[in-house]
């Protein structure tokens, strides 16, 4: 009896499977045609589009990296001797929200102290060339300038990393931003030119994680001369994700807002992110205080936060001066101050000069005493 029942059940299952196959075969072409015509209406289309977009981004990254590595950089003079040059590239930081620039809230207490000690030089009138990351980065790391923008593609200009590599610097890139993709391809392609690169682009990553990554990797890789880049996430939206809970210092009761807005809470979060950025930048500076080092800090662009209208964010399509006014700081260690008094004199004489960071490659090469045919 058990065998008979079992056999009947198997027969029923086979019948069901055969029936499903027949139905599927009959409707296959109809389903396929309907799916293709209405792909954008299916949730799975997002997955397909994401895969295609990732494939495209990888191809873009590989092409950029190949072009940039095809290096014919010429060095006319190389009198560089500074042991450590450190570039900290911030993100979405406005000088108008830094107590270092007389903001009403104490958002940069550590950098304030470094200035008082005489080792941190604060430039007063610096702007970024764009209110967005990618167009700014193209100009920061190459000889492309605001004036020469339409003459040729940015990657046809000589770039900073290839130059300092040729000048016998060991190069490093520590990033808390994405390693490829729509917003990551260009920075990552430039980073691929360095001798060592580290990307920490995870959802939970905080900028001070780069401090620990540096401690774990630098000593075994360093050279006689080192050019080190830290690419921070800074105060990029969403601001509340850019700092740990213990930096949730400011609150709305501390503020006298110009007008009531749904964005008031975000201004408070932005200031907390600036406070954490102060901690991160100061922490990185501390790594080089006792060595012959110079540390340059500035962000790719600034951020507008209810400064004159009900708007929060940045972008070239709707920009204002508040998205362009950035901090520009140079820290010089005591050892470098003592060995290079002319450098300190030149820095002090430049503090009030108007400046745009599309010229920063010239400034860096001037400090390092490196000359190329493009350096004019």
């Amino acid at each position: 009896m058990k065998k008979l029942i079992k056999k009947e059940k198997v027969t029923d299952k086979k019948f069901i499977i055969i029936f499903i196959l027949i139905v599927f075969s009959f409707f296959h072409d109809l389903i396929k045609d309907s799916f293709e015509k209405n792909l954008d209406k299916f949730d799975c289309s997002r997955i397909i589009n994401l895969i295609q977009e990732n494939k495209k981004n990888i191809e873009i990254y590989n092409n950029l990296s190949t072009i940039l590595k095809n290096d014919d950089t010429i060095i006319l003079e190389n009198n560089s001797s500074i042991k450590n040059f450190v570039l900290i590239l911030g993100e979405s930081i406005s000088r108008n929200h830094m107590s270092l620039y007389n903001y009403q809230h104490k958002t940069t207490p550590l950098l304030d102290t470094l200035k008082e000690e005489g080792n941190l030089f604060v430039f007063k009138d610096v702007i970024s060339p764009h209110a967005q990351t990618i167009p700014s980065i193209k100009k920061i790391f190459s000889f492309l300038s605001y004036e020469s923008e339409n003459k040729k593609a940015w990657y046809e200009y000589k770039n900073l990393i290839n130059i300092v590599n040729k000048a016998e610097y060991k190069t490093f890139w520590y990033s808390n931003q994405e390693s490829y993709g729509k917003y990551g391809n260009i920075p990552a392609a430039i980073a691929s030119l360095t001798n060592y690169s580290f990307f920490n682009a995870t959802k939970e990553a905080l900028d001070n994680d780069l401090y620990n990554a540096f401690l774990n990797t630098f000593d075994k890789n360093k050279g006689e001369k080192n050019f080190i880049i830290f690419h921070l996430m800074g105060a990029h939206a969403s601001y509340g994700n850019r700092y740990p809970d213990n930096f949730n210092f400011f609150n709305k009761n501390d503020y006298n807002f110009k007008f009531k807005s749904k964005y008031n809470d975000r201004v408070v979060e932005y200031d907390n992110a600036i406070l954490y950025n102060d901690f991160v930048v100061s922490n990185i500076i501390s790594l080089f205080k006792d060595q012959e080092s110079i540390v340059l800090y500035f962000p790719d662009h600034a951020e507008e936060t209810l400064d004159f209208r009900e708007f929060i964010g940045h972008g070239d399509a709707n920009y204002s001066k508040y998205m362009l006014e950035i901090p520009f700081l140079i820290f010089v260690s005591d050892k470098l101050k003592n060995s290079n008094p002319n450098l300190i004199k030149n820095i002090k004489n430049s503090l009030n000069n108007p400046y745009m960071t599309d010229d920063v490659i010239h400034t860096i090469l001037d400090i390092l005493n490196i000359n190329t045919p493009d350096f004019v």
Side-chain angles (χ1 to χ4, degrees):
M1 180 66 72
K2 288 183 179 179
K3 286 185 180 181
L4 183 58
I5 294 173
K6 187 173 182 181
K7 186 177 289 187
E8 288 174 347
K9 286 187 177 179
V10 171
T11 302
D12 289 343
K13 285 183 180 179
K14 284 184 179 179
F15 175 79
I16 293 170
I17 292 170
I18 292 169
F19 177 78
I20 291 172
L21 289 174
I22 292 172
V23 171
F24 178 80
S25 177
F26 181 81
F27 288 103
H28 175 265
D29 291 337
L30 180 62
I31 294 170
K32 181 175 180 289
D33 184 60
S34 175
F35 180 78
E36 290 176 347
K37 288 181 179 178
N38 299 281
L39 182 62
D40 59 328
K41 297 178 182 178
F42 288 85
D43 288 340
C44 59
S45 67
R46 297 180 182 178
I47 300 173
I48 295 170
N49 290 336
L50 182 61
I51 293 170
Q52 292 173 342
E53 184 70 20
N54 283 343
K55 183 179 179 182
K56 179 182 176 182
N57 284 327
I58 291 170
E59 289 175 356
I60 292 171
Y61 165 79
N62 287 335
N63 290 336
L64 273 175
S65 184
T66 300
I67 291 169
L68 294 173
K69 287 178 180 176
N70 186 19
D71 179 29
D72 58 355
T73 298
I74 297 172
I75 302 290
L76 298 177
E77 290 180 88
N78 181 17
N79 298 312
S80 58
S81 60
I82 296 174
K83 181 173 176 57
N84 297 308
F85 190 101
V86 183
L87 170 58
I88 308 175
L89 181 61
E91 170 72 59
S92 305
I93 300 291
S94 169
R95 70 170 183 251
N96 297 302
H97 280 256
M98 302 174 74
S99 53
L100 194 63
Y101 285 87
N102 300 316
Y103 183 54
Q104 59 182 323
H105 299 290
K106 194 73 171 175
T107 54
T108 55
L110 299 175
L111 292 174
D112 294 343
T113 299
L114 287 176
K115 180 187 177 185
E116 291 168 4
E117 292 172 351
N119 290 76
L120 185 70
F121 300 94
V122 180
F123 288 73
K124 302 292 194 303
D125 188 13
V126 179
I127 61 172
S128 60
H130 295 278
Q132 290 177 249
T133 298
I134 298 305
S136 292
I137 281 182
K138 290 176 181 178
K139 294 178 173 65
I140 289 167
F141 286 100
S142 78
F143 279 108
L144 173 67
S145 67
Y146 198 83
E147 293 79 13
S148 65
E149 189 157 26
N150 297 319
K151 292 183 178 180
K152 56 184 179 181
W154 74 272
Y155 49 78
E156 296 181 85
Y157 291 88
K158 294 296 181 288
N159 69 78
L160 179 61
I161 306 302
N162 281 339
I163 293 171
V164 293
N165 280 335
K166 275 280 178 70
E168 300 174 340
Y169 273 87
K170 192 79 177 286
T171 50
F172 302 80
W173 188 292
Y174 294 86
S175 176
N176 202 28
Q177 299 210 13
E178 60 189 50
S179 56
Y180 80 94
K182 181 179 179 181
Y183 302 108
N185 278 331
I186 289 174
I190 297 170
S192 72
L193 304 175
T194 62
N195 300 123
Y196 176 85
S197 61
F198 171 87
F199 284 84
N200 193 38
T202 62
K203 187 176 181 180
E204 300 80 15
L206 294 171
D207 280 341
N208 202 54
D209 294 342
L210 298 184
Y211 173 89
N212 298 319
F214 178 86
L215 290 178
N216 292 332
T217 60
F218 178 68
D219 280 343
K220 59 186 177 184
N221 292 305
K222 69 180 179 181
E224 291 184 11
K225 298 186 299 181
N226 305 290
F227 192 95
I228 306 152
I229 297 164
F230 293 89
H231 191 190
L232 308 181
M233 188 58 80
H236 193 279
S238 300
Y239 314 135
N241 294 332
R242 303 302 167 217
Y243 54 89
D245 290 342
N246 59 319
F247 277 83
N248 195 17
F249 180 77
F250 299 105
N251 60 72
K252 282 200 295 187
N253 295 330
D254 302 318
Y255 290 76
N256 183 19
F257 293 105
K258 293 179 181 178
F259 48 88
K260 291 183 179 180
S261 168
K262 61 183 178 180
Y263 298 128
N264 285 348
D265 286 334
R266 295 185 63 191
V267 175
V268 177
E269 290 178 346
Y270 184 73
D271 283 357
N272 284 326
I274 298 286
L275 181 66
Y276 181 66
N277 184 74
D278 172 69
F279 167 74
V280 172
V281 173
S282 300
N283 234 10
I284 293 172
I285 288 173
S286 71
L287 293 166
F288 303 95
K289 287 182 70 172
D290 298 327
Q291 306 174 50
E292 188 186 67
S293 306
I294 185 166
V295 182
L296 169 60
Y297 168 75
F298 65 93
D300 52 0
H301 53 78
E303 190 88 345
E304 184 182 323
T305 52
L306 301 183
D307 294 286
F308 73 102
R309 58 183 171 176
E310 193 172 10
F311 180 84
I312 291 248
H314 61 267
D316 283 353
N318 189 29
Y319 76 92
S320 69
K321 71 171 188 172
Y322 297 100
M323 301 178 192
L324 304 176
E325 293 178 339
I326 58 173
F328 192 90
L329 315 176
I330 294 180
F331 172 87
V332 183
S333 68
D334 286 333
K335 286 186 177 180
L336 187 56
K337 285 176 73 173
N338 294 333
S339 65
N340 204 331
N342 286 334
L343 173 62
I344 305 306
K345 180 181 177 182
N346 290 337
I347 290 174
K348 287 181 177 179
N349 289 338
S350 303
L351 292 177
N352 296 313
N353 293 344
Y355 183 79
M356 182 187 288
T357 52
D358 63 340
D359 286 330
V360 76
I361 188 172
H362 296 269
T363 300
I364 292 172
L365 295 181
D366 189 37
I367 290 172
L368 293 177
N369 285 315
I370 298 170
N371 192 16
T372 77
D374 304 273
F375 181 58
V376 292

